[in-house]
Amino acid sequence: MKTKGSVQQSGVKGKRTQTDALKLILKWDAYITDVIVRVISKYLPLRTFKKYYKGLEYSCHGVVWLASWLAMLWILWQPSLFQMQVNFFIGLITDIIFIALIKSFVRRKRPAANQPDTFTIGPDKYSFPSGHVSRAVYISLFFIHLYPLPTIFWMPLLSWASGVAASRILLHRHYLLDVLGGAGVGLVNSLLVYILWVGPDTASWLVRWISEERIDGELDNS
């Protein structure tokens, strides 16, 4: 028969424990993040720039990118773009999977100053790594290296990704290590998309298989 003491002891054993080294790293991460926020807030006060930071947040939201990319695929309907569109979409999906798995495993709480004023589900309530940053890095690398746009667009892409990363800290959504971890995930995801790059024939088949109803309509009109 288990006593109350034995139940409590087993519950403690069941909890995750942090090593002293990890505790020190997390402590310094929180401290450095707080310093960064306080210094920048002197020149860019949150009350004045919060709308701008929130705009950056929405500009890299996973649901927004998934929905808009599917809509663009359907509206443009250019076979010459199918390969790019399919590979980019695959990267969006793998990014969400990677972030969800890591957050579910790590389960780091968000900064205490964070205001939960955005819709989050499941693992997204956790802090490490930043999904917005991983997505921003992936998108930037995709259109700079995997499917290069003209160089005139590179600086705006990098500026946007940097702004997203900074806003995650200034909105108290993440710590510095969360942002760095998100950047690492975005880099790895870009490499994975490069390795698994879908060819034009396969990409065209996937689009036409998913959009079978539209293809039938096109055949009827031809």
Side-chain angles (χ1 to χ4, degrees):
M1 180 178 179
K2 292 185 178 180
T3 63
K4 182 178 180 180
S6 63
V7 172
Q8 291 178 343
Q9 186 177 7
S10 62
V12 172
K13 290 182 178 179
K15 293 182 178 179
R16 292 186 178 185
T17 58
Q18 296 178 344
T19 64
D20 292 338
L22 179 57
K23 289 180 180 179
L24 182 61
I25 292 173
L26 296 178
K27 180 180 178 180
W28 274 101
D29 182 31
Y31 174 75
I32 294 174
T33 301
D34 183 63
V35 170
I36 293 173
V37 172
R38 283 191 284 109
V39 170
I40 295 180
S41 295
K42 290 181 180 180
Y43 305 96
L44 304 174
L46 180 60
R47 288 183 300 175
T48 304
F49 290 89
K50 187 174 182 179
K51 290 184 178 179
Y52 171 69
Y53 300 153
K54 292 287 290 183
L56 287 169
E57 181 175 57
Y58 290 129
S59 74
C60 204
H61 197 286
V63 175
V64 173
W65 273 95
L66 288 174
S68 61
W69 200 255
L70 287 174
M72 187 187 70
L73 171 65
W74 184 261
I75 294 172
L76 293 180
W77 198 255
Q78 293 290 332
S80 60
L81 297 177
F82 285 168
Q83 184 181 21
M84 179 273 289
Q85 292 169 325
V86 167
N87 282 285
F88 183 83
F89 189 77
I90 290 174
L92 291 179
I93 296 299
T94 53
D95 172 76
I96 292 175
I97 294 173
F98 287 155
I99 293 297
L101 290 176
I102 297 173
K103 283 189 173 184
S104 297
F105 177 77
V106 177
R107 289 189 250 178
R108 186 186 192 186
K109 293 182 179 179
R110 292 187 182 271
N114 174 54
Q115 296 180 0
D117 53 359
T118 56
F119 178 70
T120 59
I121 57 174
D124 202 39
K125 65 183 179 181
Y126 298 117
S127 187
F128 182 90
S130 170
H132 280 72
V133 175
S134 70
R135 193 170 302 112
V137 169
Y138 162 68
I139 292 170
S140 300
L141 290 176
F142 186 92
F143 289 113
I144 291 177
H145 293 292
L146 301 184
Y147 188 85
L149 294 178
T151 54
I152 193 174
F153 294 104
W154 292 12
M155 187 55 68
L157 273 172
L158 294 174
S159 298
W160 169 72
S162 300
V164 170
S167 70
R168 305 314 289 161
I169 294 177
L170 297 174
L171 279 173
H172 304 290
R173 301 291 194 225
H174 293 283
Y175 297 101
L176 178 60
L177 281 182
D178 302 336
V179 170
L180 296 177
V185 173
L187 179 61
V188 171
N189 189 41
S190 302
L191 180 60
L192 179 66
V193 172
Y194 170 76
I195 294 173
L196 302 179
W197 189 264
V198 174
D201 293 338
T202 303
S204 180
W205 178 84
L206 285 172
V207 172
R208 295 176 185 279
W209 177 71
I210 295 173
S211 308
E212 183 177 359
E213 182 178 351
R214 172 154 185 172
I215 295 298
D216 291 342
E218 289 179 348
L219 291 176
D220 293 338
N221 294 331
S222 58

